[in-house]
């Protein structure tokens, strides 16, 4: 069954780079960096061997490298250096969508052109790739557990996800967080 809904916003999707688009803010701070203690910062990271997978991983590598350089030269309120922990990003989650005319969109990934910024230059008939926001740093802390998202169903390896879990567990068990 196809569900249709009318669009009420004139700009909802925006170009990230090339034909990759995103929804919403263009980035959430809690997906890229978590200040988890007076001296410890978790920084999302694209490993060197993954940086050339696509335009998104290249852009993320550049951005996270710039963030790393800024954080490396920063100090906390006591003038102490931060311990910066690089946490790998999961694989990108992407969907190809087609831009159509009109003001309705449906579950077949046809999105009306009115949902894009006119300055991005997209028009009906164009095919773009929607990139979902993904990060292990978008975790949730409860009194007794830390809940992290899983991206295994989207192609991230079990090995990478297990390494992230072990790394995060270390900081929670040591009382860093």
């Amino acid at each position: 069954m196809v569900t249709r809904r009318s669009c009420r916003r004139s700009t909802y999707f925006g170009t990230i780079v090339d034909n990759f688009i995103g929804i919403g803010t263009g980035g959430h701070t809690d997906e890229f960096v978590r200040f988890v203690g007076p001296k410890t910062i978790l920084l999302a990271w694209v490993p060197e061997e993954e940086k050339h997978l696509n335009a998104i991983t290249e852009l993320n590598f550049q951005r996270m490298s710039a963030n790393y350089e800024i954080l490396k030269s920063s100090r906390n309120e006591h003038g102490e250096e931060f311990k910066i922990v690089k946490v790998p990003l999961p694989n990108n989650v992407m969907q190809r969508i087609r831009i159509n005319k009109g003001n309705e969109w449906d579950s077949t990934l046809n999105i009306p052109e009115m949902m894009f910024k006119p300055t991005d230059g997209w028009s009906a008939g164009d095919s773009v790739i929607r990139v979902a926001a993904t990060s292990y740093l978008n975790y949730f802390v409860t009194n007794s557990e830390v809940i992290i998202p899983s991206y295994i169903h989207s192609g991230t390896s079990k090995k990478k996800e297990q390494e992230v879990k072990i790394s995060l567990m270390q900081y929670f068990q040591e009382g860093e967080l």
Side-chain angles (χ1 to χ4, degrees):
M1 180 167 124
V2 175
T3 54
R4 296 188 175 272
R5 52 186 180 227
S6 288
C7 300
R8 295 188 180 136
R9 300 179 86 165
S10 58
T11 57
Y12 194 68
F13 293 87
T15 301
I16 302 169
V17 63
D18 298 337
N19 68 331
F20 295 94
I21 61 155
I23 298 176
T25 66
H28 300 245
T29 302
D30 63 347
E31 292 175 3
F32 296 108
V33 65
R34 296 292 294 259
F35 295 81
V36 295
K39 295 183 189 179
T40 305
I41 298 173
L42 303 179
L43 178 66
W45 193 253
V46 176
E48 186 77 27
E49 63 274 9
E50 295 178 13
K51 74 179 184 182
H52 294 299
L53 292 177
N54 56 56
I56 294 296
T57 56
E58 287 182 13
L59 182 62
N60 281 339
F61 182 83
Q62 292 167 5
R63 288 177 174 175
M64 295 307 109
S65 295
N67 289 342
Y68 179 75
E69 292 303 317
I70 292 167
L71 293 170
K72 210 168 62 168
S73 63
S74 299
R75 303 289 179 264
N76 70 8
E77 62 192 27
H78 303 292
E80 301 164 318
E81 291 182 4
F82 287 106
K83 176 180 181 181
I84 303 163
V85 180
K86 296 175 181 175
V87 178
L89 283 164
N91 291 11
N92 297 124
V93 176
M94 301 185 219
Q95 294 175 307
R96 183 166 296 281
I97 63 172
R98 180 157 305 281
I99 301 171
N100 64 19
K101 284 240 180 253
N103 67 351
E104 293 187 354
W105 60 319
D106 60 47
S107 60
T108 61
L109 300 176
N110 290 308
I111 311 297
E113 64 185 336
M114 69 175 283
M115 295 293 288
F116 294 84
K117 297 176 188 176
T119 55
D120 283 355
W122 300 113
S123 57
D126 289 340
S127 178
V128 293
I129 301 168
R130 179 187 173 260
V131 181
T134 56
S135 175
Y136 291 112
L137 297 186
N138 197 5
Y139 57 79
F140 183 75
V141 181
T142 71
N143 288 338
S144 60
E145 294 185 79
V146 178
I147 301 166
I148 68 166
S150 176
Y151 298 98
I152 293 171
H153 68 284
S154 301
T156 297
S157 73
K158 289 181 181 181
K159 180 182 178 208
K160 180 191 274 189
E161 197 156 293
Q162 188 62 31
E163 288 170 1
V164 169
K165 286 179 184 179
I166 290 168
S167 177
L168 289 178
M169 214 173 5
Q170 168 191 342
Y171 291 100
F172 281 94
Q173 289 174 348
E174 290 176 2
E176 291 273 343
L177 304 178

